[in-house]
Amino acid sequence: QVQLRESGGGLVQAGESLKLSCEASGRDFSQSAMGWFRQAPGKKREFVARIGWFTEITSFGDSMEGRVTISRDNSKNTLYLQLHNVQFEDAGVYYCAAPRREYFTPLTREEYDYWGQGTQVTVSS
């Protein structure tokens, strides 16, 4: 059974950094793109960042580039998201996701097949 499990969320002060992790199990994702999304209360789930199976290929959502760093450790089957200078608008539930197909670049949320349960990020002043 494929599972994606996020961790690392919690309460963070505005201006600080936070690193989220997503540990995959049930299959090897080293040949798969993986991504991060987030959802704030009352808002749609939005794309944050994506990383390809070759780690130098990354993509970011609107206003995300430079504010987050996405990386992966294929030896651990784990995806990471580093949030820099966290702002109040960064609060929400962060989800990692992956498509079922290997060597495939998902361009929409619907093209991701596997999702984690999410990890909550709360920002304080």
Side-chain angles (χ1 to χ4, degrees), residues 3-115:
Q3 286 190 325
L4 302 177
R5 185 173 61 187
E6 302 92 340
S7 62
L11 182 64
V12 59
Q13 203 165 17
E16 293 185 339
S17 297
L18 188 68
K19 189 171 186 177
L20 308 180
S21 301
C22 171
E23 184 177 356
S25 61
R27 61 168 273 188
D28 178 8
F29 282 95
S30 62
Q31 308 305 315
S32 299
M34 298 187 77
W36 285 97
F37 290 76
R38 70 182 184 189
Q39 188 166 18
K43 294 189 177 181
K44 292 182 179 180
R45 192 170 298 188
E46 65 174 343
F47 171 68
V48 175
R50 181 185 69 238
I51 188 167
W53 49 93
F54 295 117
T55 58
E56 63 269 21
I57 301 176
T58 57
S59 180
F60 298 90
D62 293 342
S63 303
M64 298 294 179
E65 190 161 12
R67 299 191 58 241
V68 302
T69 299
I70 186 170
S71 61
R72 64 192 300 168
D73 185 341
N74 289 335
S75 69
K76 297 180 180 179
N77 219 18
T78 299
L79 177 71
Y80 303 98
L81 184 73
Q82 178 87 45
L83 308 177
H84 309 289
N85 187 23
V86 173
Q87 302 299 308
F88 292 109
E89 56 265 33
D90 294 320
V93 180
Y94 283 72
Y95 301 89
C96 68
R100 182 175 293 109
R101 282 184 283 171
E102 294 182 332
Y103 308 110
F104 169 70
T105 300
L107 299 179
T108 66
R109 186 179 62 192
E110 291 73 20
E111 291 180 322
Y112 288 84
D113 300 294
Y114 303 115
W115 291 85

